[in-house]
Every structure is written in structure tokens, then in C-alpha cells.
Amino acid sequence: MSALHKLSSAKVRTAPPGKYSDGGGLWLVKRADGGAQWVLRLTVHGRRREMGIGSLQAVTLKEARVAAEKWRAVVRDGKDPIKERDLQKRLAARGDHTLTSVAVEAFEARKAQLKGDGKAGRWFSPLELHVLPKIGKVPVEEVDQQDIKNTLAPIWHEKAETARKAMNRLNIVLGHAAAIGLNVDLQATTKAKALLGKTRHKPKNIPYMPWPEVPNFYASLEEYTPTQLALRLLILTVTRSYSIRFCHFDQIQGDVWTVPKANMKGQEGVATDFRVPLSREALSVIELAKPLARDGFLFPGERKGVISDAAMLSHLNRQKIEARPHGFRSSFKTWCDETTDIPEAIVETSLAHVVGNEVERSYRRTDFLERRRPLLARWADHVTGKNASEVIKIA
């Protein structure tokens, strides 16, 4: 090691811009703009490392020498001083790494992948309602399978889907904690599932309206309100309610509605925007909605934004109809199965379902737009009562 303590206080104070060694790898770097920094150069595991000790304004020559000796001792112990310092910072900030704070950080990191940047709250709500009130103040590094098991046990069987989502979110939060360098148990959720056991809950299918009843219901949608017009377009296009609610003028070109990828269900398996062929009836509904539009959205809410995700469901409830808006997709699917002879791939693509395995999808270069067009036109005829059901084929 080179001689130590080469610099004097006077030299440190009056030296012009340049680099000055104090020995033992400690350097003073003075810049032309008047700033100055202490830098420690070390060799760790055969690699040269540089770490800042602080600015000259904040750290005196004496303090820099003390700090340099501290980190040289760390190197003598065979450790990387920069990693060791980062670890100490994390430990010092451990109180800030509660499950709640890391969950919020994980949510912020994922917002861009969520519909509407997650403003609807659906991603975060399982944590907010069922997890964080119980163990949110626990340091994330201390969260284990027993904590998770005790937290989710009350809803594991009674609210199985909510519990599943909460478990999924917890797994993502723990993964985020690991990514920022915290020492967490990434197997905690898997272990918790083993402790909780298989859920006794049996999932229920979404209530739907039998396809022969759809024409009468469609005819009852006589009012030109955003909610009833949205229901009509939802039935005619068999798209999901989110896509309908955020339907915008810019998405419609001629008789094709292009639903942005971000407005589709999730993003897994959806590589591009989704094109929907519009029947004459669908186009007429869009024309009726145009005078009501606000900010380009066809189905605005009463005060701002678009109609809520509960608006169409509320209309069905007021009519004492058990079916749900999403159930009209099942109505269409059943109608296809029972009255048409259309290839399954075309029916499933009409519903924006992912068709085939990954290899098959990699070779398929069509969304069957032109083959879906007569199918949705025929569905529109059925919905509006223009024809009796009969078996049809699409080449």
C-alpha cells in the first residue's frame, strides 16, 4: 500500500482543479466548476472499484481518512465495500420496507401494464381490503407463509376468487421486494397455499340469457341513453364491457371498430389491437350514440368520463333479469353452437379468445375479419328478430 496521509488541510483547501492522492487509494478530485469529491479506489476480488466518500464541502480530510480506513477493512475481510454499504442502507431503511410500502411501490411499477393505469383499483383492492389491514405494517422481509395463511384463511373457501387474486398480488409484491434487494422468501405464497389446502369453493358460471330470449330483450332497449345504447352495441359485437365503455370515435373506421390492445381483457396472448366487423345494426347504434358523445367517447358518464362498469348491470337488475352483460357472449356462443356450422376458430376469434397453442398462433397471420363479418351480421339479424334461426355455414 502506498504511503498514507500525503495531503494537508492547506493543500486540500488551495489546490487547483485536478486529482490528488492521499495514499491508500483515497483521492481528492477537484473540478473546474469549484466542486470537489472524495473517491476511494480499491481492488476487490481482482476488480478495480471506485466508491464516493462524499463531497469536500460535507466531508473533511480527517473524516475522509476515517471512512477510507473503514472500507479498506471491509476489503481485507473479503467483502465488496460498495455492496456492503448498500446492504447497510437497506437495513437502516428497513422500517420503510413494510409490506404496505412495498405493495404500493410494486403497484406503481405495474401501472403501465394495467387498464387505465390501474385507476379502477381492481389490481390493488384485494390487497387493500384483505391483506394490508392485517399484516401491512409487518416488514416485508419478515412476512412468511404462516402470516399469509392466517390472513387469507377467512376468505380462502368463502371468497375463493378474491383470495386467489390476493395471493397472486402478494407473490408479485414479494418478487418486487426481491428485485430491489430485500431478503424475502419467494416461496412464501406457495407454502401458504399448501397450508391452506385446496379450496372447497366451486366456481359459478356467469348468468347468461338463452339466445332465443335475446331478441325480446334487445327490443326492450328503446331509450337512447348511453347505458341502453352501450348494451345494444355490446350484444351486437359480443365484446367485453370495458371495450364498449371506452369506445371512441377514433377507433371506428368505416365498418370496422379497432379495439386498442390496452382495452382488451388483460394483455397475455393479445399481441395486437382487435378488429371488430360492424353490422348495419351496430353502425346504426353508433349513429344514435354520436349526439350523446363527449370527448370522443360514445358512452359518456352522467358527469364525467364514461359510463361506469356497473351501469349496464344495474339496468339488467332493474329489469329483474338474472343475466349479466358478460353473459351475452355466452348467448352468442350457444347460438353459434346450436344454429350454425361455423368453424370453432372463427367463433372463438369473434369472442377475442386466444385460439390454438403457441406454435399454431405463431404461424397464423389472420384474425378472420372477413369470415367473421357475415357471422356477426347474421347474429345481428337474430338479435333484431329479422330472421328465424337456421343452420348457416361460412366457407
Side-chain angles (χ1 to χ4, degrees):
M1 182 179 291
S2 60
L4 299 176
H5 302 174
K6 295 179 180 180
L7 297 175
S8 65
S9 297
K11 178 70 173 179
V12 167
R13 186 175 61 255
T14 61
K19 298 179 181 180
Y20 304 91
S21 171
D22 188 51
L26 179 62
W27 288 76
L28 173 64
V29 180
K30 281 200 164 186
R31 303 190 304 272
D33 63 5
Q37 187 82 14
W38 294 106
V39 175
L40 182 61
R41 295 176 179 173
L42 300 163
T43 300
V44 185
H45 306 313
R47 292 190 305 160
R48 183 173 175 175
R49 302 282 271 162
E50 287 192 359
M51 64 185 300
I53 300 295
S55 68
L56 178 59
Q57 184 178 8
V59 180
T60 66
L61 173 61
K62 181 179 179 180
E63 291 169 338
R65 286 169 174 169
V66 171
E69 178 52 33
K70 170 187 172 182
W71 296 118
R72 284 193 288 261
V74 170
V75 174
R76 288 194 292 271
D77 287 340
K79 299 177 182 178
D80 186 321
I82 295 178
K83 291 183 178 180
E84 190 68 16
R85 181 172 61 182
D86 290 344
L87 174 61
Q88 291 179 11
K89 286 181 179 179
R90 290 197 298 272
L91 291 174
R94 194 177 183 208
D96 294 333
H97 288 144
T98 61
L99 181 61
T100 293
S101 64
V102 177
V104 170
E105 189 176 325
F107 174 54
E108 291 294 326
R110 292 182 65 82
K111 272 188 175 180
Q113 304 174 41
L114 305 174
K115 290 180 180 178
D117 287 337
K119 291 179 181 178
R122 290 175 179 167
W123 193 93
F124 200 72
S125 60
L127 293 173
E128 190 172 36
L129 296 176
H130 301 286
V131 176
L132 300 182
K134 296 180 180 180
I135 58 173
K137 294 181 180 179
V138 176
V140 70
E141 291 178 306
E142 296 180 11
V143 173
D144 61 20
Q145 64 268 26
Q146 199 64 47
D147 293 322
I148 299 172
K149 180 252 185 185
N150 293 338
T151 298
L152 295 181
I155 63 170
W156 189 246
H157 299 293
E158 300 302 321
K159 298 180 179 179
E161 181 60 17
T162 300
R164 183 193 65 78
K165 290 179 180 179
M167 189 73 81
N168 170 269
R169 308 300 192 262
L170 270 171
N171 193 53
I172 291 171
V173 171
L174 292 176
H176 184 83
I180 62 176
L182 299 179
N183 184 25
V184 294
D185 183 0
L186 292 175
Q187 298 300 316
T189 53
T190 300
K191 296 172 186 174
K193 289 178 184 178
L195 293 174
L196 288 162
K198 188 175 181 179
T199 178
R200 295 189 299 267
H201 175 77
K202 294 182 180 180
K204 296 180 180 179
N205 292 327
I206 296 174
Y208 80 105
M209 183 177 293
W211 61 265
E213 299 176 15
V214 174
N216 285 337
F217 172 72
Y218 187 87
S220 73
L221 300 171
E222 299 176 323
E223 298 180 11
Y224 297 162
T225 63
T227 296
Q228 292 198 26
L229 290 172
L231 265 171
R232 288 169 66 174
L233 192 61
L234 177 140
I235 294 170
L236 291 165
T237 59
V238 294
T239 49
R240 295 178 174 89
S241 61
Y242 189 95
S243 303
I244 291 290
R245 290 169 51 226
F246 286 90
C247 183
H248 194 279
F249 283 148
D250 293 345
Q251 300 168 10
I252 299 170
Q253 297 293 328
D255 61 357
V256 176
W257 169 29
T258 302
V259 182
K261 174 183 175 180
N263 287 3
M264 300 295 290
K265 180 183 179 182
Q267 297 192 30
E268 295 78 15
V270 181
T272 61
D273 300 339
F274 181 67
R275 297 190 298 172
V276 180
L278 297 170
S279 62
R280 291 182 181 178
E281 178 68 12
L283 289 170
S284 70
V285 170
I286 290 170
E287 288 300 315
L288 292 173
K290 283 184 178 179
L292 307 175
R294 183 173 63 230
D295 298 328
F297 290 104
L298 266 66
F299 309 113
E302 290 185 7
R303 297 179 181 177
K304 62 179 181 179
V306 299
I307 58 173
S308 73
D309 57 357
M312 289 183 277
L313 175 60
S314 296
H315 178 81
L316 290 166
N317 288 340
R318 286 193 299 271
Q319 303 302 313
K320 301 187 184 307
I321 295 174
E322 185 180 356
R324 297 293 179 262
H326 193 82
F328 287 107
R329 291 163 56 82
S330 294
S331 305
F332 168 79
K333 179 67 164 64
T334 309
W335 173 80
C336 288
D337 291 342
E338 295 185 358
T339 71
T340 77
D341 196 16
I342 297 170
E344 186 75 4
I346 297 175
V347 175
E348 291 299 308
T349 302
S350 298
L351 292 166
H353 287 162
V354 175
V355 179
N357 59 38
E358 187 174 351
V359 174
E360 290 172 329
R361 294 197 302 272
S362 70
Y363 283 96
R364 185 178 295 119
R365 294 292 187 268
T366 179
D367 61 0
F368 300 117
L369 178 69
E370 293 307 319
R371 299 182 72 183
R372 287 187 284 127
R373 192 183 298 280
L375 173 60
L376 287 182
R378 184 70 183 214
W379 169 245
D381 286 345
H382 166 69
V383 166
T384 55
K386 294 180 179 177
N387 66 280
S389 298
E390 58 184 36
V391 175
I392 63 171
K393 295 183 180 181
I394 292 183

